[in-house]
Amino acid sequence: MQINELSAQEIATAIAGRNLRPSEVMAACLDRIAAVNPAINAVVSLRDRDALMAEARALDDAPPNGALFGLPVAIKDLAPTKGIRTTWGSPIHAGHVPAADALMVARIKAAGAIVIGKTNTPEWGHGSHTFNPVFGATRNPYDLARTPGGSSGGAAAALAARMLPLADGSDMMGSLRNPAAFCNVYGFRPSWGLVPGDAGGESFLSTMATEGPMARSVQDLARLLGVISGPNPQMPFGLPARDFLTEVEAAPADLRGKRIAWLGDWDGAYPCEPGILEACAGGLDVLRGLGAEVVPLAAPYPAEKLWQTWITLRAMLNYGAKKLLWDDPAKRALLKPESAWEISTGASLSAEAVYEASTIRSKWYARAHRLFQGYDAWVMPTAQVWPFAVGERWPQAINGRAMDSYHRWMEVVVPVSLIGLPALNVPVGFGASGLPMGMQIIGAHGQDAAVLAMGETYHRATLWPQKHPPVIAPAGGHPDEARSEQGR
């Protein structure tokens, strides 16, 4: 098997056994990027090949040290990375080179990985479609005319195209889950607090976004999660680290006795394009075949209340974080319309509206906790649409129902994100047009290991990423064209 087809687990084992050298892994990675990235545009700000090969060769004779020893990684372009251009997809920061690493990046480096560059993301991570005026659009390896989703779209596309063995991502509104579903890989949103952020900004109200792992196998997710998780003493609400890899490797051979709630489209509140619920039904059949009991569950909370709460708190946080940019006319002019909408909405909020939203969020958390007393997990679709045209900013309607914001078409991820639950996207196969889809396996807060173990059992039974890799052929134009397609 070629190196690029190996999992991070297999590569790490081969390096530890002196059956594979880090320099061989790096050469295979860079060769693959050179071959397919021009068509996909997933990896950006790639470092010099000679410098990367020198770093890898320096590890060839060194004793393996760290869970990611010798593995090449590219960091999502929302995380500051020392010495490598970090832009947040924004022309405001197009030339920014950080002097220090974010905590997550520092932990990845300390585990022995070699950072080769960045993965593409939407501007400021806003929107589940990866395009920006700095690098252009990323394309889906399964159809170069389609989006890989976002905001971790570059990471998902790089994984699917075998450019990287694993990747980091981040998730506020499905950004670890949606692109994983669109690219036939795994993306795990951890319980909020398991993977800490960096101190320095607001940290008590900002509890809806988290970083997490992406990979082509659940064991690889667990390997990376073990590296990036664990408390930051300078941040509140932290959860303790665990040996997730060992727990996942010991996953049961079946799911007998597990009770899983199927929430579907939330009683019609979350319209899904034709074929998506049917694809998820196939995933549910796998769970049943492994011994789980799947129970249809009525919508447990009013969807519109969750949505209004979501857009209120999200806008409040965006306004607070980006007020300085908003107050500078020159920088405001460089913000994309979706970001401007978030900030301007936040600027108009009253304290009463924010308090009411937080109250609804609190009630939903309590309701969800009670529901989990009767179920081991919930399952929902990961996305409401199939991967759409790369030149489209966002889906305007689903089944004739108009979307009233740039992100309403991803409303299905809101129940999880609003209250910080762990959620794993698992692939469920392909639709009639040959495009991938996934479903979310959702656990109670703090039940990350249990969700991953369930996902590992599902993975062993399906192997969707391994059995159905993309065939990447030149089609759909060149990524450079995306700058004119998307506009500025």
Side-chain angles (χ1 to χ4, degrees), residues 102-104 107 192-200 203 206 209-211 228 230-236:
L103 175 62
M104 178 193 69
R107 287 179 170 182
W192 198 90
L194 182 61
V195 179
D198 290 84
S203 58
S206 304
T210 181
E211 291 159 328
I228 63 177
N232 173 0
Q234 300 179 53
M235 293 288 285

Side-chain angles (χ1 to χ4, degrees), residues 90-138:
S90 169
I92 297 171
H93 298 295
H96 176 63
V97 179
D101 288 321
L103 175 62
M104 178 193 69
V105 178
R107 287 179 170 182
I108 287 172
K109 288 182 176 179
I114 301 175
V115 176
I116 65 169
K118 310 303 288 284
T119 55
N120 205 18
T121 184
E123 188 176 344
W124 300 112
H126 289 167
S128 289
H129 176 18
T130 300
F131 69 91
N132 62 65
V134 181
F135 298 112
T138 299

